[in-house]
Amino acid sequence: MEGKDDTLFHYTDVDGYNAIRSQPVWVFKASQPPGKRPFGAYFTTLGPGTTLLARRLGLPKQKIEYVFAFNGSANLISLRGSRGKIVLYCRENYQVEQDRQVDSGPMTEVAERLQ
Amino acid sequence: MIGGSDFVIPTLASGAAFDACLRTIRRHWPNAIFQDAISGAKVDRFDAVPIGRWMEMFAYRDAAAARDWDEYELIPELAGTMVHLTRSGSDITITVDDVPGPEIKRMVDNMQRAIRMDIFTLPASVQGIAA
């Protein structure tokens, strides 16, 4: 399932979820991902419920248990190569104000709400 | 929230390059299982892969590895048992483990070599270059 329109998603585990949702403005922290990728905060166009989601993002199960959905892709860069169609990133911490926030929570619950 | 190591190979003939990658995988993993990343459909023969239709796929070392991926997803024990291929009109991206082991590195090297060789032997029209 692709995200609707320009909805983007950030998947995380329970610790990441609790840290991000603790503030009214979501702040996705830039960090160094594995595999020599650029330093940044990463997002995807793939919505919750997408077939083989964890595998397509190269993540273990527990890293997709929670999701944040928001509108707009301002200041985001497509990953180099074909995966740039589904993976975007920001070189710095990325803030999402309340008017762009769509939903957040356990991935399975958000998937049901966004259907 | 992204994993794996990407090897991006520019090509204007991504269908032929995809085919070259699959042939290379088959040489390394004769019992490989191939899966369409969009639909989840699997085939157990290289010649059954609908190369023209699949834009993103997984190749597993064998049926046992494919089953383990379905059960556990990414776990350290499954390192070196799956390769993720994505293509667009301008490149093939090969995604492997965060820290690929020697066999996967060799496979990626061989895929890159096979794509380059294929491109050199393709007619310009197939490569997408105006004659």
Side-chain angles (χ1 to χ4, degrees):
Chain A
M1 162 184 152
E2 301 284 327
K4 289 176 185 172
D5 304 324
D6 64 346
T7 305
L8 291 177
F9 303 91
H10 178 89
Y11 294 90
T12 187
D13 56 16
V14 64
D15 292 340
Y17 173 68
N18 285 329
I20 295 165
R21 76 180 182 128
S22 66
Q23 302 298 322
V25 174
W26 294 343
V27 179
F28 300 97
K29 300 269 189 192
S31 63
Q32 183 60 57
K36 299 180 182 172
R37 295 181 194 286
F39 182 90
Y42 282 77
F43 309 94
T44 180
T45 60
L46 299 179
T50 298
T51 302
L52 299 169
L53 177 63
R55 242 170 281 186
R56 292 180 71 187
L57 297 176
L59 295 172
K61 274 183 193 173
Q62 61 270 25
K63 285 284 187 184
I64 62 161
E65 284 181 346
Y66 292 85
V67 61
F68 293 86
F70 61 91
N71 287 325
S73 57
N75 303 319
L76 296 180
I77 304 161
S78 290
L79 192 65
R80 181 172 169 259
S82 301
R83 293 180 91 198
K85 288 181 291 187
I86 60 168
V87 178
L88 301 96
Y89 69 99
C90 177
R91 292 193 177 101
E92 303 167 340
N93 292 347
Y94 191 74
Q95 294 196 354
V96 174
E97 294 76 14
Q98 284 168 299
D99 61 346
R100 293 173 58 202
Q101 298 174 6
V102 174
D103 202 348
S104 68
M107 194 262 278
T108 51
E109 293 177 17
V110 174
E112 283 178 16
R113 289 197 291 267
L114 293 183
Q115 270 184 348
Chain B
M1 58 141 277
I2 181 84
S5 293
D6 287 346
F7 295 83
V8 179
I9 308 169
T11 174
L12 294 175
S14 67
F18 223 44
D19 183 68
C21 288
L22 295 190
R23 281 186 276 112
T24 303
I25 290 168
R26 184 179 58 168
R27 279 199 297 276
H28 284 260
W29 292 341
N31 300 311
I33 301 290
F34 303 96
Q35 182 175 37
D36 179 19
I38 310 299
S39 69
K42 285 179 190 157
V43 299
D44 59 4
R45 294 191 339 269
F46 161 78
D47 56 6
V49 175
I51 288 172
R53 295 209 304 273
W54 287 10
M55 299 300 288
E56 183 179 343
M57 59 163 285
F58 301 105
Y60 305 94
R61 187 180 59 196
D62 51 29
R67 277 195 303 273
D68 286 345
W69 273 93
D70 284 343
E71 183 166 358
Y72 302 110
E73 292 293 346
L74 176 62
I75 54 171
E77 291 79 1
L78 288 177
T81 63
M82 187 269 278
V83 171
H84 181 189
L85 301 175
T86 314
R87 69 172 165 138
S88 66
S90 58
D91 74 81
I92 293 263
T93 299
I94 306 167
T95 305
V96 296
D97 303 319
D98 292 342
V99 183
E103 185 191 7
I104 295 289
K105 279 184 184 168
R106 269 196 307 278
M107 196 186 300
V108 171
D109 286 346
N110 288 337
M111 281 193 263
Q112 291 173 318
R113 204 170 295 126
I115 289 171
R116 280 198 294 270
M117 284 174 64
D118 258 31
I119 300 310
F120 286 135
T121 58
L122 284 171
S125 58
V126 176
Q127 292 186 45
I129 299 167

